[in-house]
Amino acid sequence: MTDIVKVKTGSPAEERGAYSRLIAVDNLIFVSNTAGRNPRTKLIPEDPAEQTLQVLSNIDAALAAVGSSIDDVIAARVFVQFPQDIDAVMEAYAGKMRGINPTLTLTSPPLGMAEFKVEIEVTAYRGATQANVKEITITL
């Protein structure tokens, strides 16, 4: 039988939108689009790089709830509200994700609130950090 774990943080947005922060289906883990609000202070950094690091910290905390971590991320979708923030967001993102190297989708749509400069959604595979990884370089 397949095990499914649904994680909620108690966020009003999760209740209002009827969604889970994270759902783990056996070892495959889906993390909802996550913003950079500090869960303890409830503040959102104004700086896009700091906001990006807070988003990744929030995602890592959600993954830890099911015995995983940011190191297990296999795919990421980064949503940057303002195109002029893309470089700062991607520099901060790369600083944390270099070596993990998940697939990446980057886009610049309107986000749920003006103060959100970046939101990130990920898919992880619990245990990916223990896998035998083969990296192949191709020419397109």
Side-chain angles (χ1 to χ4, degrees):
M1 173 82 35
T2 300
D3 289 327
I4 297 177
V5 177
K6 297 182 180 185
V7 175
K8 296 208 174 244
T9 65
S11 159
E14 291 171 0
E15 289 308 309
R16 191 171 45 253
Y19 70 94
S20 298
R21 172 63 36 206
L22 173 154
I23 294 181
V25 181
D26 289 330
N27 289 323
L28 192 57
I29 306 165
F30 303 91
V31 181
S32 293
N33 212 16
T34 302
R37 185 179 308 279
N38 182 307
R40 286 169 292 293
T41 66
K42 306 300 184 211
L43 298 176
I44 299 174
E46 287 188 34
D47 178 72
E50 288 179 33
Q51 208 173 112
T52 302
L53 294 176
Q54 183 64 58
V55 170
L56 293 171
S57 176
N58 294 349
I59 290 171
D60 199 26
L63 289 166
V66 294
S68 187
S69 76
I70 200 88
D71 295 332
D72 286 334
V73 170
I74 59 172
R77 286 145 306 278
V78 178
F79 305 92
V80 181
Q81 175 122 268
F82 306 110
Q84 66 270 22
D85 291 336
I86 289 174
D87 288 343
V89 166
M90 291 313 297
E91 185 175 327
Y93 172 88
K96 183 72 175 171
M97 301 304 283
R98 190 169 268 96
I100 301 168
N101 301 334
T103 63
L104 175 68
T105 298
L106 171 67
T107 190
S108 188
L111 299 180
M113 296 178 70
E115 62 190 335
F116 295 165
K117 295 185 177 178
V118 59
E119 292 186 56
I120 300 174
E121 172 189 344
V122 302
T123 303
Y125 188 85
R126 189 176 18 241
T129 57
Q130 310 304 316
N132 294 321
V133 177
K134 181 178 181 181
E135 193 169 297
I136 300 171
T137 302
I138 63 171
T139 303
L140 297 176

